[in-house]
Amino acid sequence: MLAPEKLTVPAVRAFVVAVNAGDRDAFSALLTPNATMSDDGSDRDLGQWADKEIFSSGGHMDVQTESDGGHALVVDYRNETWGEMRTAWRFDVTADGRISRFETGQA
């Protein structure tokens, strides 16, 4: 497992820390105003998805590997709804260090 502080890209590192802390404000601050996301290949409403899959269900990320210069992760993700599953995450980060899109799905 990779500790969050070892992750290469600051925005991705902060994303993992915010998810694991259940910190909605920190999570929101990392995203561009029009950020988008997809889950298993389908675009979702980011706010609704984050509330359901992260914040209201105790979402937690244990990073297993990092690739693509820190923009891609394989994570053991768990929450109270689905239990634990191996997931892949991909992040698009803007020049000012915010996340404009992330994609997740089964790894």
Side-chain angles (χ1 to χ4, degrees), residues 7 9-19 26-38 46 54 61 70-73 89-104:
L7 298 175
V9 177
V12 173
R13 180 183 327 123
F15 183 97
V16 172
V17 169
V19 167
F27 179 87
S28 295
L30 294 167
L31 304 173
T32 62
N34 296 315
T36 61
M37 63 86 53
S38 72
L46 195 155
I54 298 171
M61 303 174 82
H71 290 94
L73 305 176
W89 296 73
R90 172 84 178 102
F91 298 89
D92 294 336
V93 180
T94 61
D96 68 350
R98 296 174 77 196
I99 296 170
S100 60
R101 180 171 177 82
F102 67 91
E103 299 172 357
T104 186

Side-chain angles (χ1 to χ4, degrees), residues 13-78:
R13 180 183 327 123
F15 183 97
V16 172
V17 169
V19 167
N20 290 350
D23 189 337
R24 290 176 194 259
D25 291 337
F27 179 87
S28 295
L30 294 167
L31 304 173
T32 62
N34 296 315
T36 61
M37 63 86 53
S38 72
D39 185 358
D40 283 329
S42 296
D43 279 4
R44 308 282 187 198
D45 178 282
L46 195 155
Q48 289 176 357
W49 183 92
D51 182 60
K52 179 182 175 193
E53 300 294 338
I54 298 171
F55 300 110
S56 67
S57 62
H60 189 87
M61 303 174 82
D62 288 328
V63 179
Q64 300 304 310
T65 62
E66 174 187 68
S67 60
D68 193 22
H71 290 94
L73 305 176
V74 173
V75 171
D76 286 339
Y77 187 79
R78 68 181 179 273

